[in-house]
Amino acid sequence: MSELPLNEEMLPAARRQHLIEWFEANHSGASQDLARMFGISVSTIRRDLDVLASEGLVKRTHGGAVAVRNRATWEPSTDVSRRTAVEEKQAIVREALRFVSPNQSLLIDTGGVVCHLLADELAKLSMPLTVITNDLYVAGALTYHENIKLHVPGGTCRPGSYSLLGAPGEAFLENIRCDIFFMSAAAVDEECVSETAIEMSQMKRTMVAAAREVILLADSARFMERALHRTVPIEQITRIITDEGLTDKSRQRFPTPVPEFVIAQM
């Protein structure tokens, strides 16, 4: 669509239609950026986004909104993910660090920017840790740190990603027993965690089996969705760390006491 400036006098329905068209072509938008782009106030754009969210057309984040996609096969690129729900992901990582203590063995997932942010923060710590990961970004962030023993299972790099997947890595992980698996996911609902690619699901199942405790790191935009390939039942997740965008109504649909929910404050 052509990004012609909107204005406060435009009928709300017409203005929101412009926003719908914009989100059809773009994955996410911050309230301030959208207000500046369309020439309307931040308060007006927030009200419009609230209306679109109530109609299921977008999902609100702390600073704006993300487009609702069919997660069965669609996944954002790493570059897009890095610009989506940034504050939420940072808050989730801060909360995740509370569960890390000296001399632990940590298995860190691939396929999620939140795991990259976690690696960046772990690199700042001085405590001794053992880290196993099949993500090349995570491995790079934790290389040359004397306090970290780093293990990288083998595999083939998935095109357009940092993920090493396949039988060599799965065979390596079958003999691993670690303290915590920090897991990411394409989609989460009250029944299972799921992925868009079958090889990702297979690798993550092996990782879940290798860990004493599984902590899922997922921003609220990934909830109440299901991707094509079932990974593990939700009961196999020990704890879910997410942001304030997950409603109480959605959370109440999950079984108790496992998984435990931790809501990261921004």
Side-chain angles (χ1 to χ4, degrees):
M1 86 177 229
S2 60
E3 294 182 356
L4 297 175
L6 308 183
N7 56 67
E8 303 288 346
E9 286 73 34
M10 180 178 287
L11 289 175
R15 191 174 62 239
R16 289 164 193 156
Q17 183 59 40
H18 279 272
L19 283 170
I20 291 170
E21 292 171 5
W22 189 88
F23 275 104
E24 287 176 350
N26 299 272
H27 178 61
S28 65
S31 297
Q32 291 185 343
D33 292 340
L34 290 170
R36 183 169 54 252
M37 186 186 309
F38 292 131
I40 55 180
S41 68
V42 173
S43 60
T44 298
I45 206 76
R46 286 173 177 164
R47 287 195 298 270
D48 286 345
L49 293 176
D50 286 341
V51 171
L52 297 184
S54 71
E55 296 174 352
L57 299 173
V58 300
K59 283 191 175 182
R60 291 288 266 122
T61 64
H62 181 66
V66 296
V68 172
R69 305 281 199 223
N70 177 1
R71 288 193 183 272
T73 56
W74 181 85
E75 59 182 313
S77 68
T78 301
D79 185 55
V80 169
S81 294
R82 283 192 175 279
R83 302 193 305 268
T84 304
V86 176
E87 292 183 49
E88 287 85 345
K89 289 183 175 78
Q90 291 171 340
I92 289 168
V93 167
R94 287 195 298 270
E95 197 65 36
L97 291 173
R98 294 180 51 245
F99 297 94
V100 177
S101 56
N103 299 307
Q104 282 183 324
S105 54
L106 309 178
L107 181 54
I108 300 181
D109 202 0
T110 189
V113 169
V114 69
C115 292
H116 295 179
L117 297 175
L118 175 62
D120 291 338
E121 294 304 315
L122 289 174
K124 300 174 184 178
L125 303 180
S126 59
M127 68 176 68
L129 294 168
T130 297
V131 175
I132 308 102
T133 185
N134 66 326
D135 189 285
L136 294 175
Y137 180 97
V138 174
L142 300 177
T143 300
Y144 299 122
H145 291 271
E146 293 184 359
N147 59 307
I148 294 177
K149 296 180 181 178
L150 180 65
H151 301 267
V152 183
T156 302
C157 188
R158 187 183 182 210
S161 75
Y162 293 92
S163 305
L164 292 176
L165 303 173
E170 292 173 24
F172 176 86
L173 290 165
E174 285 174 356
N175 295 308
I176 291 294
R177 293 295 178 267
C178 67
D179 294 313
I180 300 175
F181 172 33
F182 284 111
M183 184 181 189
S184 66
V188 189
D189 67 11
E190 70 273 20
E191 294 183 5
C192 68
V193 176
S194 50
E195 287 294 331
T196 57
I198 190 169
E199 61 269 23
M200 291 284 281
S201 287
Q202 291 170 340
M203 178 63 79
K204 288 171 190 260
R205 278 195 290 271
T206 307
M207 290 174 155
V208 168
R212 178 176 56 82
E213 183 176 357
V214 180
I215 301 180
L216 177 64
L217 311 178
D219 62 80
S220 58
R222 296 181 183 271
F223 279 80
M224 313 321 295
E225 303 276 0
R226 182 169 294 188
L228 186 61
H229 300 283
R230 179 185 176 97
T231 303
V232 292
I234 199 67
E235 290 84 359
Q236 291 190 24
I237 308 300
T238 312
R239 183 174 292 111
I240 296 175
I241 305 179
T242 188
D243 58 80
E244 298 166 311
L246 184 65
T247 65
D248 290 339
K249 182 178 179 181
S250 294
R251 199 165 54 206
Q252 289 166 6
R253 293 172 59 177
F254 285 76
T256 56
V258 176
E260 173 193 355
F261 272 92
V262 178
I263 305 302
Q265 305 295 315
M266 287 177 285

